[in-house]
Amino acid sequence: MTTHVVVEADGGSRGNPGPAGYGAAVLDPATGAVLAERNDGIGVETNNVAEYRGLIAGLDAARELGATHVAVRMDSKLVVEQMSGRWQVKHPAMKPLQRQAAELARTFDAVDYTWIPRAENAHADRLANEAMDRAAGIERPSRAASAAPPASGSWTPPTGPATRVLLVRHGATVHSAERRFSGRNDLPLNDVGTAQAVALATRDFGDVDVVLASPLRRARQTAEAIAAPRGLDVQVVDDLVELDFGTFEGLSMAEARAADPDGLAAWLGSPDVAPPGGESFAALARRVRRARDTIVAERAGQTVLLVSHVTPIKTLVRLAVDAPPSAMMRIHLDTASVSRIDYVGVHSVSLRLFNDTSHL
C-alpha cells in the first residue's frame, strides 16, 4: 500500500459561473503512476467552487487508498493559500467547502499544499475539462487506452477468488407505500413487507456463508427471515444504515419542497451537501465504501448476503459501474429486491444482477 501520495486537483466553469466540473488524480510520488482519478460535473457553479470540489475529491480518493501523507499540488492560488491558513476565507460559498476539505485533511498524518503553474497541472486540468464538457452537453471523443496502470475503480481481469455479494433491500414499511423519506427511523415491516421477507426466505440464493444487515429493524427483520432457515445468525454492520434525512425524515418529496425548498434544492443539487440536520450522499458513500472494503478483504471466495436500504445499495451499484453521483437519481430499487455484485478485490468488479423481484 502506498502511504505517501501526490494529489493534483483542478476545477473550472464555462462562464464563471457556468457549467462546472472538477478533476483530481492521485499519483505515486516515486513513479508518477496514476493510483486514482476522479472527475464529475457539478451543475452551474464558479471556478473557485469547482476547484475546492476537485481538492475534496482528491483527498477523498487518497483516503480510500489508505494514504497517510498527501502532497497537494494545485494551480489555484486561492485554494492553496486558504488551505495553508495564510489567507482568510471570506466568500460565503467557500466557507463550507474549506471546512469540508480541512476536515478531510485532518484524517491524514500530514497534508501540505503547493501552488504549481497550470502547465504542470495538466492531468487534473484535462479531467476537469472533460467534466465541464459533460456538464455543458459537449461530446468528447473517448480517450485512447493508455499503457499506464489502471486507475482505482477501473475494471481489471480477475486474478483471485471472488466475493459474491447479494444486495437485498428490506421489505416494505408504511413509509414505502407512501413514498416518504425513510432514514434512521426504526419502523417495522408492514404486512406487505413481512410477506416479502417470507418470499425472500424461500428464494434459492445458493450457498450463503454469512448474512449481514443494517442495524435498523426493517433490515434486521428481513435478514432474520432469510438467515433462520439457513441456520445462520445475522451480523449487524453499522455502516450499512440508511442515509440520515434530517428534517426531511418522514416527509414526502412534495412536503419537503413545501417545508424547505432551498434546503431541498441544495441537498439534491450536490452530493456534498446534507439535508438540514442530516447526512450528505458523499458522507454515506465514504462509509459504504468502508463496509465494502472490509467485506471484500475478509470474505474472499465467500457468498455474502447483505440486507440494507435503498441509498446504500444504490451507492454500491453506482460505485461498481463507476458512475457519477448524479446517477443515483436515475436508479430505481424496489423493496425486497435482489442485486448482485462480484468482487475480486475492490477494483475487479462485475454487476451480475440488479433489482430482481422474481421471487415476489
Side-chain angles (χ1 to χ4, degrees), residues 252-285:
S252 67
M253 181 68 76
E255 289 169 344
R257 186 174 290 111
D260 187 358
D262 292 339
L264 181 68
W267 169 47
L268 297 180
S270 170
D272 297 305
V273 175
E279 177 186 30
S280 70
F281 288 113
L284 177 139

Side-chain angles (χ1 to χ4, degrees), residues 10-23 39-54 127-137 269:
D10 198 8
S13 67
R14 306 284 193 227
N16 196 30
Y22 64 80
N39 73 339
D40 198 11
I42 55 173
V44 175
E45 289 291 357
T46 65
N47 289 335
N48 292 338
V49 166
E51 287 163 345
Y52 260 110
R53 290 288 300 277
L127 292 172
N129 273 285
E130 289 177 1
M132 281 185 274
D133 284 349
R134 291 198 301 269

